[in-house]
Amino acid sequence: TKQIIGLTVQVEDVRIRATYSHRKKIPITEGFVEVKDGGKWRQICSEEWSEMNSRVICGMYGFPSEKPFNLRPYKLLAKRRKKNYWGFSVNCTGNESNLSDCKLGKEIQLKGNNTCRRGMPAVISCVPGRAFAPSVSMGFRKAYRMEQPLVRLRGGAMIGEGRVEVLKNGEWGTVCDDNWNIRAGTVVCRELGFGSAKEALAGGRMGQGVGSVHMNEVECSGFEKSLTECYFNRESVGCSHEEDAAVRCNVPAMGFNSRLRLGGGRNPYEGRVEILAERNGSLVWGTVCSDSWGTMEAMVVCRQLGLGFASHAFQETWYWQGDASADSVVMSGVRCSGTELTLDQCLHHGKHVSCLKGSGRFAAGVSCTQTAPDLVLSAQVVEQTTYLEDRPMYALQCAHEERCLSSTADKADPNSYRRLLRFSSQIQNNGLSDFRPRASPHSWIWHECHRHYHSMEVFTLYDLLSLNGTKVAEGHKASFCLEDTHCDEGIQKRYECANFGSQGITVGCWDTYRHDIDCQWIDITDVKPGDYILQVAINPNYEVAESDYTNNIMKCRSRYDGHRIWTYNCHIGGTLSSDVEDTFPGLLTNQLSHR
């Protein structure tokens, strides 16, 4: 047998061919390895097969590692089967992300039944990550709670993709894309329970993070257990969030998208949601009740279909002619937290469907999009601009009419004062598409105090909470006119409030509501001195879809002595590790009103 130097494996396709008894399993984790060459599927002789080869193929199929297994049933099967061997062995080192990166091994002498005498067709067995492990009941009911990881992905639409973030000294930060490559990406993917990396992305392609850039010039061998073990340069001089590294991982084929479809849309990205459900022992297509249907539910549908993020959730779909045989409602009461991989992992009524309104022409629908905005409030600006102002009621007429004061103001003397905790809100769009209000211009509302139209009636919630998370000041819902106040260098402003202009926040721009304008406050007239939490939540009803909602809440500690207020430790939700979060009850469990 002669050795072929330096050539890589070039085949048309690779598969794991499960035995008959394993065929129904999802995902398929074990079976004969077959390559397609010259249009025919062929087995690989196991004489030169190594664990490293198995590791690479498991990675391609979305599995973090290979495992030992019982070879006996395969030996018996292989004896009875007609074999058709491929003419080469394979020589992977184990850190390749794809078989096509592996070197060709020795040529195999094809001698009919005498081929591969000392071996048999190669078999592999892979370990699925936790999110994909087949569980006993109904497949995949629960989305897992992971223990505190050191690495996470943010801002991706699909599971197994996103901006890479690492935990350092209790604070999450990003990775600079200098030297970022598929080998480092593969370490991240395997560490998180996925397979090898499909793509290593540079240049903030999955949106920009906040906080520090923790790693730069990362170099991995490909065998590290964690990205944090790879060599890297601690000096990230000259790295900005525009260079945040990201990754797309190989994930197992779960067949999720075969149980769901969109009907009647003008393009594949929109339509009435139709799902496959069991009725009287057979599988039928049907619709979803739109009662309680919103952005979070739509997000899960778009993810399940592999279509990206939700752009809208629809509660009427009569203008989309879906399949008439799928008209009856087969799912109702759907409530998703947004992390689920499939709609049936969300809370719902189960077999007992109840849908008072939201069926027929009002069945649930979605439209999906590849990119989404991501709004983040500057914690630093809030911390630097907080102060108290005592203002007389007669100077607060307009704000009072707009319900920006607490209810005790209704009975207050026009000469009495209100004590206002004021601050500036600077809200940046770090995502990959513009943030646009959902309401169309004809339904925007004129606000006399600010002298312009507001396109979002509940854009932010301002609250003062006790340390255990209960409201102490009434706070209020702030409505906003959305515009580009400032933009990063080289970015054109596109939205402005004046003259009934179009509203939104462009990618790379921010909207600033200064501390000195009406309603940019919390009325704390009735609050006693003490320690509190100041909380600001953006887009709290999830009215507009975003790529990441975890960073929509900002909390600060506030100490009020009856005369002055100190605001400190302001931070965005999800930027600190869970150990640090404990002093901020409710940040992780923060169930903002769902709609």
Side-chain angles (χ1 to χ4, degrees):
T1 56
K2 59 178 190 293
Q3 186 85 29
I4 292 159
I5 309 294
L7 286 179
T8 52
V9 177
Q10 298 300 321
V11 290
E12 289 148 41
D13 205 355
V14 191
R15 70 179 179 189
I16 303 175
R17 190 173 172 199
T19 60
Y20 196 66
S21 56
H22 287 164
R23 210 63 42 94
K24 290 269 189 294
K25 258 195 174 158
I26 296 179
I28 287 175
T29 57
E30 187 176 300
F32 291 105
V33 181
E34 298 193 335
V35 293
K36 193 177 196 180
D37 193 19
K40 289 198 173 70
W41 285 105
R42 303 170 191 274
Q43 298 82 39
I44 297 180
C45 173
S46 67
E47 285 173 2
E48 306 271 331
W49 190 259
S50 71
E51 266 178 27
M52 290 306 153
N53 296 346
S54 300
R55 175 181 160 88
V56 171
I57 290 177
C58 288
M60 287 172 70
Y61 275 86
F63 304 115
S65 58
E66 77 294 342
K67 70 173 203 297
F69 58 97
N70 179 9
L71 198 57
R72 249 191 93 217
Y74 290 99
K75 272 197 169 128
L76 297 169
L77 254 172
K79 275 211 172 80
R80 298 205 302 270
R81 272 198 185 155
K82 186 176 186 304
K83 290 172 281 295
N84 184 10
Y85 284 108
W86 193 50
F88 298 92
S89 59
V90 173
N91 198 355
C92 300
T93 56
N95 60 8
E96 298 90 348
S97 54
N98 197 299
L99 183 64
S100 62
D101 302 326
C102 295
K103 297 276 184 275
L104 267 186
K106 295 188 182 128
E107 201 170 332
I108 302 282
Q109 307 264 289
L110 299 176
K111 304 183 284 202
N113 285 349
N114 290 331
T115 310
C116 194
R117 283 304 292 204
R118 300 198 316 284
M120 59 174 277
V123 175
I124 65 168
S125 182
C126 309
V127 185
R130 290 178 56 173
F132 306 103
S135 61
V136 188
S137 68
M138 235 313 275
F140 312 88
R141 262 290 132 81
K142 288 283 162 277
Y144 289 94
R145 285 305 306 251
M146 297 291 278
E147 62 280 2
Q148 181 70 62
L150 295 170
V151 177
R152 68 183 186 187
L153 300 180
R154 276 282 187 269
M158 299 299 120
I159 184 165
E161 63 172 44
R163 181 175 62 251
V164 179
E165 301 194 345
V166 288
L167 189 60
K168 180 172 150 191
N169 304 337
E171 188 200 341
W172 288 98
T174 60
V175 177
C176 191
D177 63 12
D178 295 349
N179 298 358
W180 182 248
N181 62 16
I182 203 140
R183 197 178 279 187
T186 292
V187 172
V188 170
C189 293
R190 290 189 192 270
E191 168 179 11
L192 294 174
F194 308 116
S196 49
K198 239 195 318 234
E199 257 184 298
L201 304 165
R205 291 261 309 277
M206 291 279 183
Q208 297 185 21
V210 290
S212 311
V213 178
H214 283 338
M215 296 172 91
N216 184 22
E217 295 173 7
V218 178
E219 281 179 46
C220 304
S221 71
F223 295 102
E224 292 87 354
K225 288 272 174 284
S226 167
L227 183 69
T228 54
E229 292 171 19
C230 296
Y231 167 81
F232 65 96
N233 187 348
R234 284 161 204 282
E235 298 299 315
S236 50
V237 183
C239 284
S240 70
H241 286 299
E242 288 171 23
E243 296 170 78
D244 283 345
V247 71
R248 282 199 177 97
C249 305
N250 287 314
V251 296
M254 304 297 286
F256 287 152
N257 53 0
S258 58
R259 304 210 292 266
L260 186 71
R261 66 187 187 194
L262 300 183
R266 293 159 302 180
N267 60 49
Y269 283 82
E270 63 172 30
R272 179 176 79 168
V273 177
E274 298 176 358
I275 58 169
L276 200 52
E278 203 172 307
R279 284 286 168 274
N280 315 329
S282 63
L283 286 172
V284 297
W285 287 97
T287 56
V288 178
C289 184
S290 72
D291 212 3
S292 87
W293 187 256
T295 308
M296 282 304 192
E297 291 70 34
M299 280 286 192
V300 175
V301 168
C302 294
R303 176 182 304 135
Q304 184 173 350
L305 288 169
L307 297 177
F309 299 102
S311 56
H312 287 297
F314 295 93
Q315 290 185 327
E316 48 182 306
T317 48
W318 52 269
Y319 38 80
W320 285 329
Q321 288 302 309
D323 188 337
S325 66
D327 278 350
S328 59
V329 173
V330 293
M331 192 183 218
S332 62
V334 186
R335 286 322 260 291
C336 306
S337 70
T339 56
E340 298 88 351
L341 301 183
T342 64
L343 204 56
D344 53 12
Q345 285 177 357
C346 300
L347 286 173
H348 57 95
H349 289 154
K351 295 255 187 298
H352 306 287
V353 172
S354 117
C355 187
L356 298 172
K357 49 184 200 299
S359 60
R361 47 187 294 170
F362 297 106
V366 300
S367 61
C368 306
T369 169
Q370 288 294 313
T371 56
D374 182 18
L375 296 188
V376 185
L377 177 76
S378 167
Q380 203 183 346
V381 169
V382 171
E383 197 163 313
Q384 289 164 357
T385 56
T386 321
Y387 64 99
L388 293 181
E389 183 196 10
D390 288 342
R391 198 171 174 86
M393 271 305 290
Y394 60 75
L396 287 168
Q397 216 97 41
C398 187
H400 189 198
E401 283 167 24
E402 294 206 358
R403 324 257 3 108
C404 298
L405 302 172
S406 58
S407 50
T408 54
D410 296 347
K411 300 182 185 62
D413 181 309
N415 291 312
S416 65
Y417 282 77
R418 305 304 293 178
R419 179 157 286 183
L420 308 173
L421 166 57
R422 285 181 170 271
F423 53 89
S424 295
S425 293
Q426 178 183 306
I427 295 166
Q428 178 142 8
N429 182 357
N430 280 351
L432 296 171
S433 57
D434 294 357
F435 185 95
R436 299 297 308 273
R438 206 171 132 189
S440 53
H442 68 263
S443 61
W444 294 354
I445 294 171
W446 175 258
H447 280 254
E448 191 54 47
C449 299
H450 295 159
R451 309 279 316 153
H452 55 220
Y453 285 92
H454 284 188
S455 58
M456 276 182 84
E457 278 310 287
V458 184
F459 180 62
T460 47
L461 299 181
Y462 297 153
D463 284 300
L464 197 67
L465 314 171
S466 69
L467 293 183
N468 68 5
T470 51
K471 287 190 186 188
V472 287
E474 278 173 45
H476 66 97
K477 300 179 169 63
S479 70
F480 262 56
C481 152
L482 302 171
E483 70 175 356
D484 297 328
T485 315
H486 292 288
C487 297
D488 286 336
E489 214 178 314
I491 293 174
Q492 235 21 72
K493 291 185 187 179
R494 295 169 60 175
Y495 303 106
E496 63 165 357
C497 298
N499 312 325
F500 198 44
S502 65
Q503 294 192 20
I505 307 176
T506 306
V507 175
C509 300
W510 54 93
D511 187 358
T512 306
Y513 259 47
R514 284 169 48 111
H515 54 80
D516 51 8
I517 65 170
D518 264 359
C519 298
Q520 200 42 50
W521 65 57
I522 295 176
D523 179 352
I524 63 162
T525 310
D526 313 311
V527 172
K528 295 176 179 60
D531 282 300
Y532 298 104
I533 291 171
L534 163 63
Q535 174 179 293
V536 179
I538 315 175
N539 188 13
N541 299 343
Y542 311 127
E543 218 181 290
V544 177
E546 295 186 43
S547 57
D548 188 353
Y549 286 114
T550 57
N551 57 20
N552 282 32
I553 295 172
M554 189 227 50
K555 302 206 171 201
C556 305
R557 290 294 289 267
S558 285
R559 173 162 288 178
Y560 175 47
D561 67 0
H563 308 286
R564 286 171 302 174
I565 198 151
W566 289 266
T567 304
Y568 57 100
N569 275 2
C570 293
H571 74 278
I572 302 292
T575 53
L576 303 181
S577 75
S578 45
D579 330 331
V580 189
E581 292 302 9
D582 292 346
T583 54
F584 287 86
L587 190 58
L588 294 168
T589 54
N590 198 316
Q591 291 309 314
L592 286 167
S593 63
H594 192 52
R595 260 178 284 288

